[in-house]
Amino acid sequence: MTDETTQAGIERIARALAAGGRNVVFTGAGISTESGIPDYRSKGGIWERFKPVMYDDFLRSREARAEYWRRKAELYDDFAKARPNPAHEALAALHAMGRLEAVITQNVDGLHQDAGVPDDAVVEVHGSARRIRCLSCGDLIPIDDVYRRLREGDEAPECDCGGFLKPDTISFGQGLDAATLERAVALSRAADCFLVIGSTLLVHPAATMPVHAKYNGAFLAIVNLSDTEYDEDSDVVLRGKAGVLLPAILHAVQAIVAEGASGS
Ligand code: ZN
């Protein structure tokens, strides 16, 4: 893709975002790799080296829980150090301008909120690694407490009630939260402009959101480094880094809005 066609694509996406309809963004691992969060499912990702701990095994076996937590502890530093990158910041700026209703995300890293998108505008379809929850009583436990206990030798931390503690993420073999999924579908169906960033749209059912949007008449755009499932159904596809393209889109939206305000 030449720079000219990239620029034309940026302009088309910006015009759709500035049009005043309902704008929804869907993000995947690709937006966070530039923040140092590994893409677990990609080639060379961690799941090629380790078989994931399945949810049923987590519930059944203390050894599986210990193995699960050993891996979490290894990844904890990546999560703790990660900061929002210019793509997250551009989305937060769009939200602050009133040009982004919600972010639906497959990511569990909380970086959209760190960038300034309010919690209630982020729909985390795979949950959040920022929360540790008791699987029995549902209590939330401060994440630092749990990692301190792991460091002190507690291999599979449990709640005071005896329930198993687990990051509030959707594990392999575990169903998505029904209410969260419903909200994501409703937002996708109602969207006038639906922008996919950093997802190859392979992980279902989350990845069917662009289909809901497109079937209900949304302008569909995709920003990703590689091909995706829905490139052919999209109005615009941009290949490249989210951290470069999103700020460019934001600037184009700002220019269009400023032009409108000046009455020209
Ligand atoms: Zn409990």
Side-chain angles (χ1 to χ4, degrees), residues 35-167:
S35 289
I37 305 265
D39 179 359
Y40 304 119
R41 288 178 171 86
S42 73
K43 202 148 173 47
I46 196 161
W47 302 131
E48 287 202 340
R49 288 184 283 141
F50 303 109
K51 228 166 79 78
V53 174
M54 301 300 285
Y55 187 61
D56 282 353
D57 294 329
F58 184 94
L59 295 179
R60 251 197 310 263
S61 143
R62 183 178 165 84
E63 185 40 49
R65 289 193 291 282
E67 174 62 22
Y68 175 92
W69 278 110
R70 270 195 293 280
R71 295 178 191 180
K72 286 295 160 210
E74 258 182 59
L75 300 172
Y76 180 66
D77 281 348
D78 289 336
F79 273 91
K81 280 194 300 241
R83 294 290 173 268
N85 65 56
H88 295 105
E89 283 159 7
L91 293 180
L94 282 173
H95 182 270
M97 292 171 72
R99 303 290 168 164
L100 177 57
E101 181 173 356
V103 179
I104 302 167
T105 186
Q106 295 175 297
N107 301 336
V108 299
D109 52 42
L111 291 177
H112 289 298
Q113 292 94 322
D114 282 357
V117 182
D119 247 326
D120 62 7
V122 183
V123 183
E124 296 171 306
V125 287
H126 292 162
S128 173
R130 295 283 181 91
R131 299 186 296 265
I132 308 282
R133 194 181 288 280
C134 169
L135 294 180
S136 297
C137 71
D139 271 4
L140 289 172
I141 315 292
I143 187 161
D144 291 337
D145 286 7
V146 175
Y147 281 94
R148 180 182 46 75
R149 283 165 62 180
L150 287 165
R151 278 196 303 276
E152 289 170 2
D154 184 352
E155 289 193 315
E158 294 180 0
C159 178
D160 289 341
C161 82
F164 308 142
L165 297 182
K166 189 175 127 2

Side-chain angles (χ1 to χ4, degrees), residues 172-256:
F172 286 87
Q174 185 181 10
L176 301 192
D177 178 67
T180 305
L181 194 58
E182 239 170 69
R183 189 175 166 215
V185 170
L187 281 165
S188 304
R189 285 191 173 142
D192 296 299
C193 173
F194 193 92
L195 175 57
V196 176
I197 305 163
S199 174
T200 49
L201 299 170
L202 287 170
V203 182
H204 291 269
T208 56
M209 298 308 150
V211 179
H212 289 300
K214 187 68 192 169
Y215 281 2
N216 287 279
F219 175 91
L220 176 61
I222 296 180
V223 174
N224 199 49
L225 276 174
S226 58
D227 293 352
T228 83
E229 286 289 283
Y230 302 124
D231 284 0
E232 289 193 355
D233 301 314
S234 301
D235 296 284
V236 177
V237 178
L238 292 181
R239 290 271 164 275
K241 285 189 165 184
V244 173
L245 291 169
L246 264 295
I249 291 168
L250 170 66
H251 291 146
V253 172
Q254 286 167 332
I256 292 166

